[in-house]
Every structure is written in structure tokens, then in C-alpha cells.
Amino acid sequence: MSDKRGNFGRVGFILAAAGSAVGLGNIWKFPYITYENDGGSFVLVYLAAILLVGFPIMMAEIIIGRSTQKSPVSAFIAMNKPRWSALGYLGVFTGFVILSYYSVVAGWTIQYFIKCVSWSLHGFTSVIDQNLEAEFSTFLSNGTAQIGFHGLFMAINILIVAFGIENGIERIAKFLMPVLFVILLALAVNSYWTRGFQSAIVFLFKPSKLNPSMLLEAVGHAFFTLSLGMGAIITYGSYMKKSDSVPKSAGMICLMDTVVALLSCIIMFSIIFSVPELEREGQFAKSVVIMFTTLPKMFYQLPGGIVLAPLFYLLVSFAALTSAISLLEVVVAYFIDHLHWSRIKATIIQGIVIFAFGILAALSLGHSTGLSQWKPFGDRTEGVFDTMDYLASNWLLPVGGMLIAVFVGWVLKKAATKQMIEEGHGSFALHAVWKFLLRFVCPLAIGWIIYAIIFSGVTFN
Ligand code: PHE
């Protein structure tokens, strides 16, 4: 059975899991929430959240998958805890929900890559006076374009996942991740010469004021960015070799994810701070769309922008692709492991179903008034797209993450987790610290988030 499932090599596992972690969350979401939270202190709190909550749960997910060699639903059954397989179902559902809108944003990055290539070829100066905000909102409300790019992205995703673990996911991660790092480094090095570089560094690393909602947002984002709480890492862990070290691999994945998030901020803020204060003002009203409105224009004001702009959107598309692959794999692995479908059948059918469901999100950005104004949670969300993101980031991932921490912290006995974590690593001196974080720190931090969402109306999208 395990031969048929396929296995990642050591580097393959780290790159595939880092590919899952590094995505729109790092390049698109992290910079704008950092900007909204005034930089400095938020970055520190975020780093603490990664270390104290993200890293321990990452190890917990990997060992569940690796010790059972199964995707989430079957994994809990294999561990003789059939009731916990509800957590697996929650993960499959979450993968479905996230991918349906994630793929829509990924579609935008493809569109902007194509746009930038054409701008670069035709000389951006001819369009420099264009109103990119208006252009972007026209694009958002163009239903055909939204569905088209969402469909294109899903088709690429389906093609890769259909090829399986070694031939599809591992191969693409081994190719795309190094390319992504090279592009990212090139852009980061380039930002050193921009006028805004120094201000960007100060903004990012100089402690500002601290507030509780910052803590909540940092912990919430730690789940999203590390792909935790929905079984993606359990599933990838199930393809990991028993001879590889879990703590080291988890550490590498968290480190890569964090480096990409920080470099993305440096790149974006250097560009943003290069523009004089006055011009900057007002440009950030809708910070979520910065990447598609303010940024392209600013890129073209930099030396080399003609090359850097398309490169940047290519980088983001790649990052989104390796994350989306892991989302689809969670759903597909369930149908393969639990319902014994063939990989090809599971990938094509589920990919199409997710695409179809995603159409609702694609049309909720202005094309359909009904879908765009749907408010199932009162004033907390508006439209299908927004609602899906709200559900996933605020509920599904934190609840899933908390249950995983409780499961590995409390339900699995000390001797069992010690053996699981030491396999392939050797003696793990920090076992007790890790267990403590899972038992107390993670559930309390997450419980607090959920409490705040229910009672004080904090949201993270
Ligand atoms: N980690 C991905 C990102 O940062 C998103 C993701 C979440 C992927 C959950 C898989 C599972 O963009």
C-alpha cells in the first residue's frame, strides 16, 4: 500500500511543504496586514506566533501523517481514534473552501503577469497615467475574465496533481521553489538601491505600539501562512520518509516561510516608500488591492522595472501554484485513501467540482450583485469571496489547529509522541517543551482568538 502511495525524497518533502506554506499568504496578505498594523511590533509578535504556535503544530501534523502513512480522515482511524476523523473531514472541507477562492486570486496574478509582459513590451510610459484602480475594479467585475483565469489556474493545478507525488508535486516543487527564491532574492537585492529601502527596514523592524488585536491577527495568520489546521501538512507528512528528521524539516519549512514573508515586505515597502509621502497618501485606502493597483505603477518608476514587474507577478503565480497544489491534494488524497478512487479520477472530478464552486466567489467581486452583497454573517463579511476567506481564516483553520494541538498534546501519550518525533531524528531534548506548547500555549492562544471573534467582532480578512 505504502509503495503505491508514493514517497517524497528528503529535499522533495521540505520543498513541497515549503511550497505549500509559501504562497499568497506571504506575498500578498502578510505585507498588507503588516502595513495595517504599523510594522515593527506586529512583525515581532508574528515571529513569536510562528515559533510558539506554528512550529509546534507543524511538527504535530507531520508526525500524524508520517506515522500512519495516511491522509487525515484515514489517519485518525488508523490510530484507533475514529471519532477524531471528524477533524480529517473538517480538513477536506476547509481545503475545498480555501481553494475555491484562493484560485480566483491566483488567477489575478496570472492576469497581471500577462499584463506586465505586454506593458513592458509596449513601454509602460504610455499607460503610466492610466487609472490602475479603475482598471483593476473593471477586471474584478468582469465575470468572464474572473472565471477564465480561475479556470486556467485550476486546470494547471489539476494537471500537476494528477501526475502524483513524485512525478507531479515533488517535481514541480523542486523546480519552482528554487526559481522562486532566485527571483525573490533578485528583487530584494534590487530594493537595496531604492530610495525607500531604509524607511522600509525601519518600518519593519523598529518596534511600534503593541495592541491585543495585533496578537490575534498574528496567530491567525500563522496558521494560514504555514498551511496548518486543515491537514495539508498531515497529508504531505504521510508521504515523508521515516528516516528523515521531523524537527529539522519542520524548522526548515517555518524558516523558509518566514524569510519569504519578510523579503516580500522589504520588496513591497521599499517600492512603496520610494514614492514621496504626499503621493503615497490615499493610495492605501484599499490596501488589499495594493498589489494590483499601486505596485505595478511603482515598479515601472524604478530602473529595471520593465523586467522586474513581470518577474514579480511570475513569482507570485508560482508561489500560489505550489500552495494550491497542496490544497487540492488534501481533497484528492481523501478520495484515494478512503474511498479508493484512482488518482486521475479523484483529481479531475474534485478539481472540476472545486472550480465550479469557485465560480460563485469569482462572480462575487462585482459581476453579480446578489453574490457580491451576500452577508450571511451580518456586517462581518460582504459577498461570497469575502465570506469564504472569513470562514477559513477565522474559523476553520484555528479550530482545526486547536484540535490538532489537543490531539497530539493530550490524547496521544507521552511515550507515543516521543517515539514518533524521534524516529529519523534521534533523541529530541525539547520533547517536553514541545508537548507543553501543544498542551497549553497553543490551545489557549487559539481559544482566545475564537473567543475574541465571537464576543468582540475581531475579524482577520
Ligand atoms: N499557506 C498558503 C499561503 O500562505 C495558503 C494555504 C493555507 C495553503 C492552507 C494550504 C493550506 O498562501
Side-chain angles (χ1 to χ4, degrees):
M1 180 81 195
S2 65
D3 295 341
K4 264 205 336 221
R5 292 188 89 244
N7 263 314
F8 284 131
R10 187 172 64 85
V11 177
F13 170 74
I14 295 178
L15 290 182
S20 167
V22 171
L24 296 169
N26 304 59
I27 311 177
W28 173 63
K29 219 168 178 181
F30 185 65
Y32 83 72
I33 58 179
T34 302
Y35 191 84
E36 278 172 355
N37 282 292
D38 274 337
S41 297
F42 177 75
V43 174
L44 273 181
V45 171
Y46 169 78
L47 294 177
I50 295 286
L51 191 70
L52 300 176
V53 178
F55 181 44
I57 295 185
M58 165 94 44
M59 290 201 278
E61 287 207 17
I62 296 177
I63 60 166
I64 295 177
R66 190 178 70 159
S67 65
T68 56
Q69 308 268 297
K70 299 242 181 315
S71 53
V73 173
S74 315
F76 290 103
I77 296 173
M79 283 195 276
N80 256 332
K81 302 278 187 263
R83 271 202 246 146
W84 284 84
S85 61
L87 186 48
Y89 286 106
L90 182 72
V92 174
F93 176 70
T94 310
F96 192 97
V97 169
I98 299 185
L99 186 51
S100 71
Y101 72 86
Y102 198 85
S103 164
V104 174
V105 183
W108 305 346
T109 67
I110 301 184
Q111 159 72 348
Y112 273 73
F113 167 64
I114 298 172
K115 255 184 199 292
C116 282
V117 170
S118 113
W119 280 334
S120 295
L121 290 177
H122 297 104
F124 188 73
T125 35
S126 59
V127 275
I128 206 139
D129 297 325
Q130 261 182 32
N131 183 345
L132 291 191
E133 288 239 356
E135 184 166 338
F136 185 64
S137 65
T138 312
F139 169 60
L140 285 186
S141 54
N142 178 343
T144 319
Q146 289 303 318
I147 296 176
F149 284 102
H150 160 57
L152 174 65
F153 184 79
M154 277 307 290
I156 302 173
N157 194 357
I158 291 172
L159 187 71
I160 296 166
V161 175
F163 272 97
I165 300 305
E166 290 101 336
N167 293 332
I169 301 178
E170 178 166 0
R171 202 192 275 171
I172 210 80
K174 276 186 164 163
F175 169 67
L176 287 188
M177 291 308 285
V179 175
L180 187 143
F181 273 101
V182 169
I183 301 181
L184 196 74
L185 273 180
L187 290 169
V189 167
N190 180 75
S191 55
Y192 178 75
W193 285 281
T194 57
R195 251 189 311 147
F197 179 75
Q198 236 178 353
S199 326
I201 298 290
V202 172
F203 181 77
L204 268 180
F205 298 109
K206 189 169 163 222
S208 43
K209 53 185 184 326
L210 204 71
N211 66 49
S213 78
M214 216 178 237
L215 291 173
L216 296 175
E217 187 148 18
V219 178
H221 185 66
F223 280 102
F224 187 86
T225 190
L226 291 175
S227 309
L228 297 174
M230 49 77 66
I233 302 296
I234 298 184
T235 307
Y236 274 14
S238 75
Y239 307 117
M240 182 191 184
K241 289 208 187 91
K242 300 219 172 177
S243 51
D244 293 337
S245 157
V246 173
K248 278 192 202 151
S249 307
M252 281 295 289
I253 299 162
C254 292
L255 185 70
M256 284 193 217
D257 188 78
T258 307
V259 167
V260 174
L262 293 177
L263 285 181
S264 302
C265 281
I266 294 180
I267 294 168
M268 286 239 209
F269 294 146
S270 299
I271 295 175
I272 288 165
F273 287 130
S274 296
V275 174
E277 188 94 28
L278 265 180
E279 265 181 62
R280 233 172 34 226
E281 255 175 47
Q283 300 229 25
F284 298 102
K286 286 208 248 134
S287 52
V288 184
V289 302
I290 280 182
M291 193 155 128
F292 304 98
T293 53
T294 315
L295 210 63
K297 213 169 227 181
M298 293 183 174
F299 258 124
Y300 283 99
Q301 290 170 17
L302 292 178
I306 283 193
V307 178
L308 297 176
L311 260 188
F312 176 78
Y313 292 95
L314 189 65
L315 162 93
V316 190
S317 314
F318 283 173
L321 182 61
T322 51
S323 298
I325 288 172
S326 72
L327 289 162
L328 183 56
E329 177 63 22
V330 171
V331 180
V332 166
Y334 164 72
F335 283 87
I336 298 176
D337 283 356
H338 200 69
L339 302 178
H340 307 293
W341 288 21
S342 74
R343 173 167 286 274
I344 305 268
K345 176 178 160 195
T347 314
I348 294 179
I349 295 186
Q350 293 312 316
I352 291 176
V353 173
I354 295 172
F355 162 69
F357 184 65
I359 291 179
L360 296 175
L363 296 181
S364 74
L365 301 159
H367 181 87
S368 144
T369 322
L371 295 174
S372 309
Q373 291 176 356
W374 188 53
K375 284 181 160 193
F377 297 100
D379 281 338
R380 291 184 181 207
T381 64
E382 189 169 1
V384 176
F385 180 96
D386 199 24
T387 305
M388 294 299 134
D389 189 30
Y390 167 80
L391 268 181
S393 317
N394 290 268
W395 291 101
L396 302 170
L397 296 182
V399 169
M402 168 133 107
L403 291 175
I404 285 164
V406 169
F407 181 78
V408 176
W410 294 95
V411 178
L412 294 183
K413 298 278 169 294
K414 198 174 141 200
T417 51
K418 196 163 161 55
Q419 194 241 330
M420 286 156 108
I421 201 104
E422 290 187 343
E423 188 163 22
H425 179 82
S427 154
F428 182 53
L430 295 175
H431 179 263
V433 177
W434 172 61
K435 200 79 178 174
F436 175 82
L437 292 172
L438 288 179
R439 287 184 151 200
F440 301 103
V441 178
C442 300
L444 284 176
I446 305 162
W448 181 45
I449 292 191
I450 296 170
Y451 173 85
I453 291 168
I454 299 177
F455 294 106
S456 69
V458 180
T459 58
F460 307 128
N461 46 356

